[in-house]
């Protein structure tokens, strides 16, 4: 891990990125020898930090840190998909390509969220920070035309099970990891660190 | 979109017939510490030249444009890897382009080559695909594959692509498989079948003699999927050379006709909205009116249980070629068996069985080289190469390997390609004592499905012997 001072950080001034800290770490190559001790390759170490814009989705990720689930809706009276609510949040309607209206569906989620499918796995890839086994769940909501992908933090998932959203409001990461789900009736004391109902 | 206009459903038209003149493959393996990617590509290209009794230099004289597919620059750690291979094949200054559509990259690469020939732009085009999946450890490899999911909405969740896919398997397993032991057994039969066929293939690195119990007792990856239900991670290359009629017959006496359809669907499964099921030529309107009644929860299409991209690709390809009932009109197929359960889902998408009844294709014995129930030839054998489970999944090469394998059956040269003792030795593999010739006798028409991850891209390639077309041009 980098020291606190070395962590790469970015701010925006006058519409331009300003960077501070280390965005890459240099480590020497090392040789690879085959069974007979002959050179067959090398390692290429690399550690980089990317700078990524959330653009029109920023409001979604920022709202998670405030305990809110924001979706978007097509309000174009001329669109055949008018009134469709999208979660995952879509900046534009996929049919008419007009900008969607941002709406708060925290209440809809609290009242209607249900597990559509799930998977429990001990496997993960490099950089995983979720506790294993990971319980992936897909969440359907009343009147929402798509099905959100997330993870269950408490209990065992089942298709049709009612769940509630919880939010990382105390130490937000400003990523999709800031929203998780628990079975209806889970007491606040059982939530993972930093999460609130 | 959830409604399609007539213009969008137009049957693709090729301005002139296109032929597959030859195909070639390298050996496939989990890792090749002493081989560069270009060595594998040259191995595949040389095999394609050998197949039509030419030298690589002679075959190169015919090529006019080149199309290269590899899924992930990350894996090979080389941007513009296509340009490296193009140079090493000595094909500069011909026009060339790279193609990337995840697991469907091989199919998409030849899609581009076929269109180039069909349009008249080129008389002969090379489609070459490869993947280098051994340059990072498996954990990092899983992360890189997960980067092909949505990087804000999915990748941070575990950095494990299997997780994003397996939720679809779970839904299919519970709704259409009804979580029955008998369905679990049918899934396992696919793993046994494909690994068994892989044993007869010297190019393959996943061949195994196993039983249904072995599969059911193998470690859980993501329930209900177990280790032996899952495809391989591989390194290797495969290619095909497509031509117009005149050039094809200059290259060989026996070229095959080739057509291809392509489809897509949202990268995130989460975004898939409910829609009407597009019907294939062998399906009557009303067929699915009671699907939700027969399979409670199964009325949302494509939902999590079907691949719209595969259905659309098949719709285009079948209508281009006159295929009505694939089980009747085709002799051999290669499907994208990333997981045993996704293989079953595909049977329905491509019309081997109606939605909800995919398992019957295996349970009836239709999908085998020799039907285990009757001892007679299977009605429509699938994945005799071993598929992704028993042969390989070197992503950018996979679709081209499948097309090559279908070709070898129609060319009636499967035994020559797979049985040669010297080839087994050269690849450092032992030919099994019970090696079996899996040639489909009299094969005239075949299909290869190239499919990306959760079904974001799919191509359906149809090969036919030119004397056995289903409809006039
Ligand atoms: Zn709209």
């Amino acid at each position: 891990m980098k020291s606190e001072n070395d962590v790469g950080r970015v701010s925006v001034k006058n519409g331009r990125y300003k960077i501070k800290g280390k965005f890459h770490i240099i480590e020497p190559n090392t040789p690879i020898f085959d069974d007979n001790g002959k050179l067959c390759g090398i390692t290429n170490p690399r550690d980089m930090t990317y700078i990524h814009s959330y653009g029109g989705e920023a409001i979604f990720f920022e709202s998670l840190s405030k305990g809110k689930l924001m979706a978007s809706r097509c309000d174009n009276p001329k669109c055949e998909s008018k009134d469709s609510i999208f979660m995952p949040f879509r900046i534009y309607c996929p049919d008419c390509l007009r900008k969607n209206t941002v709406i708060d569906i925290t209440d809809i989620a609290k009242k209607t969220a249900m597990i559509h499918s799930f998977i429990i796995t001990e496997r993960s890839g490099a950089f995983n920070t979720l506790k294993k086994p990971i319980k992936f769940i897909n969440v359907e909501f009343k009147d929402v035309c798509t099905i959100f992908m997330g993870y269950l933090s408490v209990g065992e998932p089942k298709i049709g099970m009612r769940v509630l959203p919880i939010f990382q409001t105390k130490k937000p990461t400003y990523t999709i990891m800031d929203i998780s789900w628990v079975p209806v009736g889970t007491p606040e004391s059982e939530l993972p660190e930093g999460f609130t109902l | 979109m959830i409604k399609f206009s007539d213009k969008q459903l137009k049957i693709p038209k090729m301005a002139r017939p296109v032929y597959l003149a030859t195909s070639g493959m390298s050996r496939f393996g989990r890792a090749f510490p002493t081989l560069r990617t270009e060595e594998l590509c040259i191995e595949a290209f040389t095999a394609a030249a050998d197949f039509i009794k030419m030298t690589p230099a002679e075959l190169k004289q015919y090529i006019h444009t080149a199309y290269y597919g590899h899924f992930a620059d990350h894996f090979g750690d080389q941007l513009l890897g296509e340009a490296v291979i193009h140079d090493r094949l000595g094909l500069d200054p011909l026009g060339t382009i790279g193609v990337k559509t995840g697991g469907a990259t091989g199919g998409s690469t030849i899609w581009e080559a076929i269109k180039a020939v069909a349009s008249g732009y080129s008389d002969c085009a090379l489609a070459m695909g490869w993947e280098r999946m051994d340059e990072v450890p498996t954990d990092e490899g899983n992360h890189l594959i997960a980067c092909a999911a949505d990087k804000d909405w999915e990748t941070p969740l575990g950095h494990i692509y299997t997780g994003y896919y397996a939720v679809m398997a779970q839904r299919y397993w519970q709704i259409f498989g009804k979580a029955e032991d008998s369905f679990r057994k049918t899934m396992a039969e696919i793993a046994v079948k494909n690994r068994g066929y892989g044993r007869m293939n010297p190019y393959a690195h996943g061949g195994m003699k196993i039983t249904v119990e072995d599969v059911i007792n193998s470690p859980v990856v993501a329930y209900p999927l177990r280790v032996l239900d899952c495809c391989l991670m591989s390194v290797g290359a495969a290619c095909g050379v497509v031509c117009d009629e005149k050039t094809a017959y200059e290259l060989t006496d026996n070229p095959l006709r080739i057509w291809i359809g392509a489809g897509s669907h949202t990268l995130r499964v989460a975004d898939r909205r409910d829609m009407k099921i597009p019907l294939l030529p062998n399906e009557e309107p009303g067929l699915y009116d009671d699907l939700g009644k027969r399979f409670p929860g199964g009325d949302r299409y494509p939902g999590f249980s079907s691949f719209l991209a595969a259905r659309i690709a098949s719709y285009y390809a079948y209508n281009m070629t006159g295929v009505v009932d694939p089980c009747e009109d085709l002799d051999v197929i290669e499907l994208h068996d990333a997981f045993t359960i996704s293989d079953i889902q595909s049977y329905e998408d491509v019309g081997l069985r109606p939605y909800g009844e995919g398992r019957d294709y295996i349970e009836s014995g239709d999908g085998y080289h020799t039907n285990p129930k009757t001892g007679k030839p299977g009605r429509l054998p699938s994945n005799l190469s071993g598929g992704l489970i028993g042969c390989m999944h070197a992503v950018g090469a996979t679709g081209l390997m499948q097309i090559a394998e279908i070709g070898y059956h129609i060319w009636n040269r499967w035994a020559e390609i797979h049985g040669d003792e010297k080839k087994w030795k050269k690849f450092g593999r032992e030919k099994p004592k019970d090696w079996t010739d899996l040639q489909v006798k009299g094969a005239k028409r075949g299909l290869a499905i190239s499919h990306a991850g959760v079904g974001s891209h799919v191509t359906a390639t149809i090969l036919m012997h030119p004397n056995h077309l289903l409809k006039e041009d």
Side-chain angles (χ1 to χ4, degrees):
Chain A
M1 290 284 266
K2 294 177 195 166
S3 73
E4 193 56 26
N5 278 338
D6 284 346
V7 170
R9 292 185 197 283
V10 182
S11 57
V12 177
K13 279 208 179 84
N14 299 327
R16 299 182 65 167
Y17 288 127
K18 295 267 176 216
I19 65 168
K20 209 180 149 227
K22 285 191 176 161
F23 280 75
H24 67 272
I25 296 174
I26 302 166
E27 219 183 278
N29 304 73
T30 58
I32 305 169
F33 297 105
D34 72 7
D35 291 347
N36 305 313
K38 292 242 186 262
L39 179 73
C40 65
I42 49 160
T43 65
N44 277 324
R46 190 153 324 139
D47 179 315
M48 278 171 66
T49 299
Y50 278 76
I51 302 165
H52 173 49
S53 168
Y54 274 144
E57 287 184 7
I59 187 166
F60 169 83
F61 291 100
E62 189 166 24
S63 298
L64 295 180
S65 70
K66 297 172 185 154
K68 280 187 184 164
L69 184 61
M70 307 305 273
S72 67
R73 183 183 61 214
C74 176
D75 284 337
N76 179 359
K78 288 185 188 145
C79 177
E80 61 181 18
S81 298
K82 181 183 178 299
D83 297 330
S84 291
I85 299 175
F86 298 96
M87 169 55 58
F89 185 101
R90 296 181 79 105
I91 305 166
Y92 291 92
C93 168
D95 293 323
C96 65
L97 297 187
R98 207 171 94 160
K99 212 157 202 180
N100 279 338
T101 308
V102 178
I103 59 167
D104 182 343
I105 63 159
T106 320
D107 272 348
I108 297 180
K110 283 184 175 160
K111 284 183 194 134
T112 71
M114 194 165 44
I115 295 182
H116 181 76
S117 193
F118 69 90
I119 205 79
I120 302 171
T121 180
E122 285 287 349
R123 302 286 174 107
S124 67
F127 309 110
N128 170 48
T129 51
L130 286 175
K131 212 173 87 202
K132 289 195 268 190
I134 303 170
K135 294 163 189 168
F136 287 114
I137 58 168
N138 306 90
V139 184
E140 54 177 81
F141 314 95
K142 193 171 175 291
D143 300 327
V144 173
C145 67
T146 51
I147 298 173
F148 179 82
M149 172 130 188
Y151 64 100
L152 189 74
S153 283
V154 174
E156 294 305 311
K158 263 204 308 226
I159 290 178
M161 183 169 118
R162 278 273 291 113
V163 285
L164 287 178
I166 58 170
F167 301 91
Q168 176 55 275
T169 52
K170 295 188 183 149
K171 258 192 184 168
T173 63
Y174 300 101
T175 70
I176 198 70
M177 308 287 281
D178 287 350
I179 179 167
S180 180
W181 303 85
V182 295
V184 166
T186 303
E188 191 117 27
S189 60
E190 280 184 31
L191 304 189
E193 206 190 323
F195 278 83
T196 48
L197 275 168
Chain B
M1 297 181 298
I2 51 175
K3 283 183 195 156
F4 318 117
S5 70
D6 291 347
K7 288 188 174 67
Q8 290 159 343
L9 291 175
K10 177 205 120 136
I11 306 311
K13 198 163 159 31
M14 307 208 290
R16 58 178 179 167
V18 181
Y19 290 77
L20 179 71
T22 184
S23 276
M25 305 184 288
S26 73
R27 73 197 81 180
F28 300 108
R30 176 66 188 89
F32 290 124
T34 59
L35 288 173
R36 283 177 76 94
T37 307
E38 73 207 52
E39 295 175 74
L40 295 162
C41 291
I42 289 173
E43 189 171 307
F45 187 80
T46 304
D50 281 351
F51 188 73
I52 48 172
K53 300 199 169 49
M54 278 192 165
T55 65
E58 285 164 347
L59 178 55
K60 274 165 53 177
Q61 293 300 312
Y62 290 83
I63 292 167
H64 181 252
T65 48
Y67 303 84
Y68 297 110
H70 74 131
F71 150 62
D73 293 326
H74 295 60
F75 270 107
D77 196 20
Q78 168 71 64
L79 295 187
L80 285 184
E82 304 89 351
V84 176
I85 299 303
H86 190 63
D87 161 47
R88 302 303 194 270
L89 287 171
L91 286 171
D92 291 306
L94 302 179
T96 179
I97 197 167
V99 177
K100 293 189 193 330
T101 58
T105 296
S108 302
T109 303
I110 205 161
W111 185 43
E112 286 306 307
I114 289 169
K115 286 185 295 181
V117 171
S119 71
Y121 188 98
S122 293
D123 292 339
C124 179
L126 169 69
M128 166 79 75
W130 66 87
E131 212 66 52
R132 188 87 225 186
M133 303 186 82
D134 59 348
E135 296 220 341
V136 289
T138 303
D139 245 24
E140 282 72 14
N142 280 330
H143 161 70
L144 295 181
I145 295 169
C147 289
D150 186 294
K151 76 171 180 178
D152 291 327
W153 291 77
E154 296 172 326
T155 314
L157 301 170
H159 299 253
I160 181 86
Y161 199 92
T162 319
Y164 323 140
Y165 167 72
V167 292
M168 302 181 74
Q170 179 74 247
R171 183 88 188 169
Y172 187 90
W173 156 251
Q174 294 208 19
I175 304 290
F176 293 101
K178 303 189 171 176
E180 290 169 359
D181 289 345
S182 61
F183 184 80
R184 175 54 267 196
K185 195 169 155 275
T186 300
M187 286 165 59
E189 297 278 11
I190 295 166
V192 173
K193 168 175 96 68
N194 295 0
R195 284 202 165 71
Y197 293 151
R199 288 181 64 237
M200 310 305 163
N201 182 353
Y203 297 89
H205 72 105
M208 280 169 93
K209 200 172 192 169
I210 50 166
T211 63
V212 163
E213 286 67 40
D214 293 333
V215 181
I216 292 174
N217 294 326
S218 65
V220 171
V221 174
Y223 188 83
L225 296 172
R226 293 170 182 272
V227 166
L228 291 174
D229 285 301
C230 304
C231 69
L232 302 157
M233 236 192 198
S234 318
V235 180
C239 70
V241 175
V242 291
C243 309
D244 71 328
E245 187 166 284
K246 183 171 167 288
T247 313
Y249 282 97
E250 285 173 29
L251 284 169
T252 170
D253 295 337
N254 201 7
L256 307 178
R257 285 290 298 273
I258 188 166
W259 299 260
I260 188 164
S264 69
H265 207 192
T266 62
L267 186 65
R268 292 184 298 222
V269 182
D271 292 294
R272 295 180 184 173
R273 291 177 285 165
D274 198 9
M275 66 178 74
K276 260 181 79 174
I277 301 179
L279 299 179
L280 292 180
N282 64 341
E283 294 174 333
E284 294 291 330
L287 177 64
Y288 295 119
D289 288 353
D290 64 346
L291 191 64
K293 234 184 229 151
R294 288 186 283 133
F295 300 96
D299 44 4
R300 188 179 170 120
Y301 182 86
F304 276 43
S305 44
S306 304
F307 298 112
L308 174 69
R311 170 114 316 205
I312 290 292
S314 311
Y315 161 84
Y316 288 134
Y318 292 172
N319 284 298
M320 283 168 95
T321 55
V323 169
V324 176
D325 179 353
C327 282
E328 206 50 51
D329 297 332
L330 303 173
D331 304 307
V332 57
I333 59 175
E334 286 278 334
L335 298 173
H336 187 94
D337 52 335
F339 303 96
T340 52
I341 199 164
S342 61
D343 206 43
I344 298 178
Q345 289 166 282
S346 299
Y347 305 156
E348 302 172 0
D349 298 315
V350 307
L352 306 183
R353 290 294 186 278
Y355 279 115
E357 295 166 37
R359 59 191 287 181
D360 182 64
Y361 171 69
I362 291 299
E363 290 166 2
S364 64
D366 279 4
Y368 289 79
H369 177 266
T370 304
N371 185 327
K373 294 230 163 86
T374 63
K376 291 188 178 145
R379 194 166 168 227
L380 180 61
S382 74
N383 294 19
L384 299 178
S385 67
L388 283 68
I389 289 178
C391 176
M392 68 85 161
H393 189 23
V395 186
T398 304
L400 289 154
M401 173 278 284
Q402 296 171 312
I403 290 166
E405 286 284 334
I406 295 295
Y408 297 140
H409 284 284
I410 306 176
W411 276 310
N412 196 25
R413 290 175 67 179
W414 194 92
E416 171 199 331
I417 294 294
H418 299 83
D420 180 7
E421 198 92 40
K422 277 184 276 172
K423 189 177 283 173
W424 284 88
K425 276 226 176 78
K426 184 179 144 200
F427 292 171
R429 291 174 179 145
E430 199 179 330
K431 188 175 174 184
K433 294 214 163 49
D434 60 345
W435 184 85
T436 311
D437 180 0
L438 297 177
Q439 170 70 45
V440 172
K441 293 213 168 66
K444 301 295 178 221
R445 304 182 205 107
L447 164 75
I449 295 289
S450 188
H451 176 126
V454 293
S456 59
H457 307 72
V458 174
T459 63
T461 304
I462 292 185
L463 289 173
M464 289 189 196
H465 190 284
N467 296 341
H468 296 271
L469 305 190
L470 290 170
K471 75 174 189 192
E472 296 288 312
D473 287 319

